[in-house]
């Protein structure tokens, strides 16, 4: 379990609670529900039919009767929730009818297989974004803009302090750090979430610098990324009992193992963390890290504003984060935007 760096962050803004109810979507205790198609999107609890945006644990949860996701999401979701779950999948862009609703998946650019879900009921179109990122990422499908009447947007990084640099710059910073550590004869232990971020970091590594190792939580996703076209360096999975010389190497591991015995092998390592939260002053210091790399799989402030505007949606609901600042800004611009509560909770996000 990783602590959310912004958890308990004092909010001077008023938290609004708004629910959604129209012919396409309504808020229910388990999450967003489409009455015309009788399905939920990224639900909690146990529902008969879940339509899932992506395989992160705060979206694709175990316990539902059946699942529908994108084709490239399916093998990742199976790893996460179990091989025996009933999961059907669709290629991006293909429309199907579920009851009275027309449903299709469109790339969200967040991690491999991540989708925005477009739902059309009697000519009204709503899009549920899931997590998304309009910036370039060589390890997943490029974000696709979908015009709609209503847009449910995530807002994980919905504050103007969050502005990302191009990923090439971050990859360069990581390689530079690795080269420096290798020169000093020290391993580089870089924490990155096991699904999405770890693969994105791997794709940017210069493997002339040394051997790359990965934690067992990162490893099972790699073949699916490669099958989907991501170019990743050769890696060795760190196994119990095996001994390697790690001194010049890069080791990618999930932040959950940061304080565990697993990291003992790498006692002399310099430690880094790749996450959008590294943009928060003090987050790196609190975690006792040598370096923080600001690499996020979510839209930054400008990205959120650009996408929301470009959808031309008449109604905007923000969720999955602290949406007060974004809502206030959009309202000042004349948008019909409110915070949607109950459809997303903070704290268990994998970013
Ligand atoms: Zn996610
Ligand atoms: Zn999420």
């Amino acid at each position: 379990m990783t602590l959310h760096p912004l958890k308990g962050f004092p909010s001077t803004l008023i938290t609004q609670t708004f629910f959604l109810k129209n012919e396409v979507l309504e808020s229910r205790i388990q999450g967003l529900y489409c009455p015309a198609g009788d399905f939920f999107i990224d639900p909690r609890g146990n529902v008969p039919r879940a339509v899932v945006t992506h395989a992160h644990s705060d979206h694709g949860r175990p316990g539902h009767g059946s699942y529908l996701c994108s084709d490239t999401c399916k093998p990742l979701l199976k790893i996460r929730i179990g091989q025996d779950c009933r999961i059907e999948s669709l290629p991006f862009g293909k429309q199907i009818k579920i009851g009275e609703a027309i449903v299709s998946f469109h790339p969200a650019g967040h991690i491999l297989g991540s989708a925005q879900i477009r739902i059309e009921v009697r000519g009204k179109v709503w899009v549920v974004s899931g997590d998304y990122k309009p910036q370039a990422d060589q390890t997943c499908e490029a974000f696709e803009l979908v015009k709609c009447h209503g847009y449910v947007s995530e807002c994980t990084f919905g504050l103007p302090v969050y502005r990302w640099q191009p990923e090439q710059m971050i990859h360069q910073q990581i390689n530079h750090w690795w080269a420096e550590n290798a020169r000093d004869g020290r391993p580089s232990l870089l924490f990155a979430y096991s699904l999405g971020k770890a693969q994105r970091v791997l794709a940017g590594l210069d493997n002339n610098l040394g051997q790359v190792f990965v934690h067992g939580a990162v490893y099972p996703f790699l073949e699916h990324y490669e099958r989907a076209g991501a170019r990743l360096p050769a890696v060795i999975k760190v196994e119990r009992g095996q001994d390697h010389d790690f001194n010049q190497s890069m080791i990618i591991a999930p932040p959950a193992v940061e304080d565990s015995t697993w990291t003992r092998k790498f006692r002399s390592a310099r430690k880094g963390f790749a996450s959008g939260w590294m943009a928060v002053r003090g987050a790196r210091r609190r975690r006792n890290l040598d370096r923080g790399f600001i690499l996020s799989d979510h839209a930054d402030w400008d990205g959120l504003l650009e996408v929301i505007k470009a959808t031309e949606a008449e109604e905007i609901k923000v969720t999955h984060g602290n949406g007060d600042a974004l809502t206030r800004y959009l309202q000042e611009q004349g948008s019909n935007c409110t915070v949607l509560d109950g459809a997303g909770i903070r704290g268990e996000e994998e970013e």
Side-chain angles (χ1 to χ4, degrees), residues 54 56 58-59 110-111 131 298 349-350:
H54 65 290
H56 276 158
D58 52 333
H59 298 261
H110 170 61
I111 62 166
D131 295 337
H298 295 263
E349 171 70 0
E350 291 214 30

Side-chain angles (χ1 to χ4, degrees), residues 34-54:
C34 172
D38 189 23
F39 60 83
F40 283 88
I41 296 171
D42 292 352
R44 288 180 284 275
N46 309 94
V47 307
R49 183 157 197 136
V51 177
V52 167
T53 59
H54 65 290

Side-chain angles (χ1 to χ4, degrees), residues 90-274:
L90 272 183
F92 282 116
K94 186 179 175 179
Q95 293 192 330
I96 56 158
K97 236 180 154 191
I98 305 177
E100 292 300 304
I102 300 165
V103 176
S104 53
F105 291 97
H106 302 269
H110 170 61
I111 62 166
L112 182 63
S114 64
Q116 303 171 86
I117 299 169
R118 181 187 185 276
I119 306 156
E120 182 177 340
V121 178
R122 290 178 277 278
K124 277 276 174 213
V125 177
W126 274 73
V127 171
V128 180
S129 74
D131 295 337
Y132 67 92
K133 159 173 105 277
Q135 285 92 350
D137 176 349
Q138 51 185 315
T139 60
C140 69
E141 301 89 353
F143 176 86
E144 180 191 327
L145 182 78
V146 186
K147 302 229 160 138
C148 51
H149 299 105
Y151 193 55
V152 180
S153 175
E154 66 128 325
C155 62
T156 306
F157 290 103
L159 287 169
V161 294
Y162 298 116
R163 289 203 162 98
W164 313 142
Q165 292 178 307
E167 65 168 359
Q168 292 85 339
M169 282 180 70
I170 310 300
H171 288 318
Q172 267 173 24
Q173 289 171 12
I174 292 172
N175 285 320
H176 190 253
W177 178 69
W178 182 13
E180 235 174 49
N181 298 341
R183 221 174 293 136
D184 297 345
R186 293 173 69 168
S188 303
L189 178 54
L190 183 54
F191 298 109
Y193 289 105
S194 56
L195 172 56
K197 187 61 58 62
Q199 291 74 22
R200 195 172 173 206
V201 166
L202 283 170
L205 290 179
D206 174 3
N207 56 350
N208 295 317
L209 294 173
Q211 179 62 52
V212 181
F213 292 88
V214 298
H215 183 272
V218 171
Y219 191 79
F221 301 114
L222 301 184
E223 59 168 313
H224 302 291
Y225 268 75
E226 285 177 323
R227 200 168 299 151
R231 289 173 53 186
L232 306 178
V235 302
I236 298 175
K237 185 164 112 178
V238 178
E239 309 259 21
R240 213 183 289 263
Q242 269 181 11
D243 219 19
H244 291 280
D245 174 11
F246 293 106
N247 284 348
Q248 317 262 310
S249 60
M250 168 66 81
I251 304 114
I252 308 289
V257 302
E258 195 179 333
D259 298 319
S260 75
T261 54
W262 190 87
T263 57
R264 266 191 215 150
K265 271 194 212 300
F266 319 108
R267 224 183 275 272
S268 66
R270 293 218 174 95
K271 292 186 198 169
F273 191 12

